[in-house]
Amino acid sequence: MEKLSVRHIGEPPLAERVLIVGAHPDDPEFFCAGTVARWVAAGTTVHYVVVTSGDKGQPEHWNPSRSFVEVREAEQLAAAQLLGVQGITFLRLPDGEVFDTLALRAQLTAEIRRFRPDIVLTHDPLTRLYRQHPDHRAVGAATLAAAFPASRLATFFPEQLAAGLHPHVVRVALLFGSDRPDTFVDIAPVLERKLAALRCHTSQASAFPGGTENRVRSRAREAGAPVGLEYAEAFLWVDLE
Ligand SMILES: [Zn+2]
């Protein structure tokens, strides 16, 4: 096993503005709702970009009179509102069909240039030890490409500058779902908040036999164990400056 290296532990790193880019509704809550709750409590402004609206997660006997995408977006909005997130951009790409394309990089670069975050959180595109949804890999790769170097250089997507956006330097990327995390946020004070936010995703409740809450608790316990925290969310820190 690789030696544990710790870059940051305890409270979330200081930031005025944080952008979280997830592949599906509920990814932000699964991977970082506790960190989001602590950031919001500290006065940090948090915005989400959700790349697909999770249309492949539709239960077998769904009543077609209700749009499943609308339901998932409403669940995502409710969860974000509960956590105090400022806003959400839904890109509405088809679930399960996301690739790291130039078009997606352009969309994510525009979001970064519009919101101007200090820190961007997204999926680790290079996870090898855990099973990983292909959309997570694609979104992680496209977001990293947007955060560095595209958003900071005026030569990338110059049409966005003509439309009034300006280049922006993101300081740090924090990658979730990493198999070698080095950044551990203590979420013990906000674990109940994280569980409440996940409960907003009602349509996904049957997706985890044994219960979402047990899974989330044991994940948080496992994440904190190597650094002596009762409950943690773990990230890989990437300097972009
Ligand atoms: Zn996902």
Side-chain angles (χ1 to χ4, degrees):
M1 202 175 143
E2 277 181 62
K3 194 174 159 281
L4 177 77
S5 70
V6 178
R7 170 74 197 241
H8 181 96
I9 183 171
E11 293 174 14
L14 284 177
E16 273 182 38
R17 304 169 71 74
V18 171
L19 184 70
I20 296 171
V21 184
H24 310 105
D26 81 13
D27 284 333
E29 281 72 40
F30 261 109
F31 291 110
C32 56
T35 305
V36 168
R38 296 206 63 184
W39 258 321
V40 169
T44 299
T45 305
V46 180
H47 187 91
Y48 285 179
V49 174
V50 180
V51 173
T52 81
S53 291
D55 46 284
K56 294 284 199 301
Q58 183 168 321
E60 215 176 307
H61 301 294
W62 187 256
N63 174 0
S65 68
R66 271 182 94 195
S67 154
F68 187 66
V69 162
E70 267 173 41
V71 169
R72 291 215 68 183
E73 290 185 2
E75 292 172 352
Q76 180 61 90
L77 282 163
Q81 203 165 26
L82 186 144
L83 293 169
V85 171
Q86 187 212 35
I88 307 182
T89 307
F90 291 104
L91 298 185
R92 301 194 173 108
L93 268 62
D95 186 2
E97 301 174 20
V98 181
F99 291 87
D100 171 18
T101 62
L102 198 59
L104 179 56
R105 290 182 186 184
Q107 281 182 292
L108 295 170
T109 300
E111 292 301 321
I112 289 170
R113 286 172 171 171
R114 195 172 293 127
F115 184 67
R116 311 185 73 73
D118 308 295
I119 301 180
V120 169
L121 275 72
T122 192
H123 306 272
D124 185 341
L126 298 179
T127 296
R128 293 163 299 165
L129 304 181
Y130 309 128
R131 67 178 196 180
Q132 168 96 306
H133 193 295
D135 288 352
H136 292 191
R137 293 185 197 283
V139 167
T143 303
L144 281 175
F148 179 87
S151 60
R152 71 179 58 192
L153 296 180
T155 42
F156 277 84
F157 313 118
E159 67 282 3
Q160 294 177 2
L161 276 65
L165 297 177
H166 300 285
H168 175 71
V169 175
V170 179
R171 282 197 291 116
V172 171
L174 294 179
L175 305 180
F176 44 72
S178 176
D179 48 28
R180 50 186 194 97
D182 60 3
T183 296
F184 302 86
V185 175
D186 179 2
I187 63 160
V190 290
L191 184 73
E192 291 308 317
R193 203 83 193 264
K194 173 166 182 154
L195 294 171
L198 279 161
R199 260 181 245 122
C200 295
H201 297 279
T202 321
S203 72
Q204 302 304 295
S206 61
F208 303 106
T212 307
E213 298 208 2
N214 288 336
R215 181 169 172 264
V216 169
R217 267 180 211 282
S218 61
R219 278 264 182 107
R221 222 178 269 124
E222 281 165 28
V227 289
L229 292 174
E230 189 185 5
Y231 296 111
E233 285 168 346
F235 309 93
L236 178 63
W237 180 296
V238 182
D239 278 313
L240 299 179
E241 261 183 326

